[in-house]
Amino acid sequence: MSATIFNNIEELPADALFGVKQRYGQDSRSPKVDLGIGAYRDDTGKPWVLPSVRKAEKLIQEDPTYNHEYLGINGLPELTSAAAKVIFGDDSPALKENRVISVQSLSGTGALHIAAKFLSKFVSGRKVYVSQPTWANHNAIFKAQNVETATYPYWKSSTKSLDLEGFLKAIEQAPKGSVFLLHACAHNPTGLDPSELQWPLILDAIAKGDHIALFDSAYQGFASGDLNKDAFALRLGVEKLAKVSPILVCQSFAKNVGMYGERTGCFHLILPQQNLDIAPIRSAISSQLSSIIRAEVSNSPAYGAKIVAKILNTPELTAQWHEDMVTMSSRIKEMRVALRDHLVKLGTPGTWDHIVEQCGMFSFTGLTAEMVQRLEVQHAVYLVSSGRASIAGLNTGNVEYVAKAIDEVVRHYSGSSKL
Ligand code: LMR
């Protein structure tokens, strides 16, 4: 009997994104191009260890006190405090007023997981509104904690632009105190961010509804190459919601420091301004976050945390890191232009300016699922079925090949689908 109790477990399909990675790895054709997972590649198509990271690793390993001891449950303080300054700004009133509680997390996903657990424990029954579309894992993370999600309109496919009207209406119609998950910059998967004129309208509507803003910041520095510019929406949110409601922030160093597999990130909770002594509230929340972390991972991984902390706390390395982000974001921008120009030169049916207008690592190309399928089968060009392409997978050696492949599939289906 006991030998059979697991025999009827249903097999699930492979994860959409990691499935692409796996199929690409198994493909023996040449050339082949991976535009699936959002991970930076250099112009030779190789993963890039940032020069600032190489220098930080050297300093860490040469340090006579180097070891692999456990971190504290809430993480490496040198990381969490420096990370808070990166995201909120050195002069952040929330930091000065001691309203920010920061803990280390298993990258952005771990931070979202902490957010979901915290919400389910302390404000259960509130829905989390996510953009339509959003990063696929958002829904999965909240579902795993029995936190219900709903969507707000975001991408208008007819114009490849923001559905601001629909977005504002959803905020207005949501029950008071709902949670709105906002992509701080470089929206995944569309690469489309609200403008600096649209963000105030969105954040004012969130304040009016007494909603909780949950910022997912996975690409700070990747949209523009400038950390401060990419934190515009989040810092405006901190200002506008200061007297209204708490803010939750999930911060990842996977992309901007290239710590992908090291799982380095932070979760921050900002308390609103209140006429009370907030010290006991801070300490209660911090203890609850500790208890969530302890029960699940005991404490966070140390190596990536030490690297990021070294970069953020050593001025020379911080300056190098800023340059590294400009290197990455500029190369991606060049590849956007190259892809658009090749498609225009080929006369590929449709319009392609959205590729250069979008920002961050991704382009929501407008290619349909059947086109994506044909790209993979006929041309060994891999991307996810939504048509999202990781522009970081393009380089001077493969961009023309990819443009020609897109041209072929678009022409193949032209008539049956409209771009
Ligand atoms: C992506 O969207 O490609 C990345 O954030 C990788 C992931 O974990 O999904």
Side-chain angles (χ1 to χ4, degrees), residues 99 118-119 123 126 177-180 206 210-215 237-238 241-249 268-274 285:
R99 291 189 284 116
F118 190 84
L119 290 170
V123 287
R126 300 190 194 205
S178 297
V179 180
F180 274 81
I206 287 179
D210 282 337
H211 300 313
I212 296 176
L214 193 175
F215 282 97
V238 173
L241 298 171
K243 291 192 171 24
V244 184
S245 52
I247 296 181
L248 311 182
V249 179
H268 310 272
L269 189 150
I270 310 181
L271 293 167
Q273 291 167 337
Q274 312 162 61
I285 291 174

Side-chain angles (χ1 to χ4, degrees), residues 17-18 37-38 135 188 219 255 362 388:
L17 202 50
F18 281 78
I37 217 152
W135 179 50
N188 180 1
Y219 293 91
K255 325 282 175 168
F362 305 113
R388 184 197 85 168

